[in-house]
Amino acid sequence: MTRNLDKGTSLTELKRISSFDKKVEAVLIETNGGATSSFGNAVFLVVPGKKITQDDLKYAIFNADHYQKIDIKWQANKQLLISYNKARIFNYTNFWQSGEIDNWNYVVEITLKCLSSNGQLFEDDKHPMSN
């Protein structure tokens, strides 16, 4: 699903998966800021059915660009895995909770895992001023 937002930004929902107890959904979004910026990825934890809007971008538990093979997977109840091969990560938190679910007592642990055997960044990202 692609949703066009103001300021020329669009969001594309790539994946949405429910936790085992169905209390939370993990959502992987691709962002597109237009011709002068790269595509990005963001991951959110939300109450079931909540649609992600541009205003929600500040609540992402993970933000990255220059990415390859980003995925989300529930490992167990209240345990989410974000895996990737390459990514330039701007934001990541290892837990999430919400007042909308069990009055802040429902805590999700978030694990970040790099699957690449030769580093997390592309060569161009290691030397951005030489390109």
Side-chain angles (χ1 to χ4, degrees):
M1 160 196 207
T2 300
R3 180 182 174 112
N4 292 321
L5 304 169
D6 20 325
K7 300 180 187 173
T9 303
S10 68
L11 301 179
T12 303
E13 187 173 302
L14 300 176
K15 187 173 186 178
R16 180 180 288 257
I17 51 174
S18 294
S19 60
F20 296 124
D21 62 7
K22 308 290 187 217
K23 288 187 175 188
V24 178
E25 291 178 336
V27 184
L28 175 62
I29 296 287
E30 182 178 69
T31 62
N32 178 0
T36 60
S37 63
S38 64
F39 285 86
N41 275 121
V43 175
F44 298 86
L45 289 169
V46 297
V47 295
K50 180 177 178 2
K51 299 299 179 203
I52 306 300
T53 67
Q54 183 177 5
D55 290 340
D56 295 322
L57 290 175
K58 61 186 169 235
Y59 301 115
I61 59 171
F62 173 88
N63 279 317
D65 71 359
H66 301 193
Y67 56 90
Q68 182 182 59
K69 296 183 182 177
I70 291 180
D71 196 20
I72 54 175
K73 177 182 175 183
W74 288 101
Q75 293 185 296
N77 214 26
K78 300 183 185 179
Q79 292 182 350
L80 181 71
L81 172 67
I82 302 171
S83 62
Y84 64 97
N85 196 23
K86 301 281 186 191
R88 191 170 65 162
I89 299 168
F90 296 97
N91 178 51
Y92 161 70
T93 186
N94 66 351
F95 79 101
W96 175 90
Q97 63 191 123
S98 170
E100 295 180 76
I101 302 171
D102 295 344
N103 194 31
W104 300 101
N105 288 309
Y106 188 96
V107 178
V108 176
E109 180 180 348
I110 304 149
T111 302
L112 190 59
K113 183 175 184 179
C114 178
L115 303 174
S116 173
S117 61
N118 64 346
Q120 300 180 57
L121 298 173
F122 288 106
E123 281 304 312
D124 289 349
D125 292 328
K126 292 178 185 178
H127 311 285
M129 300 309 285
S130 62
N131 296 321

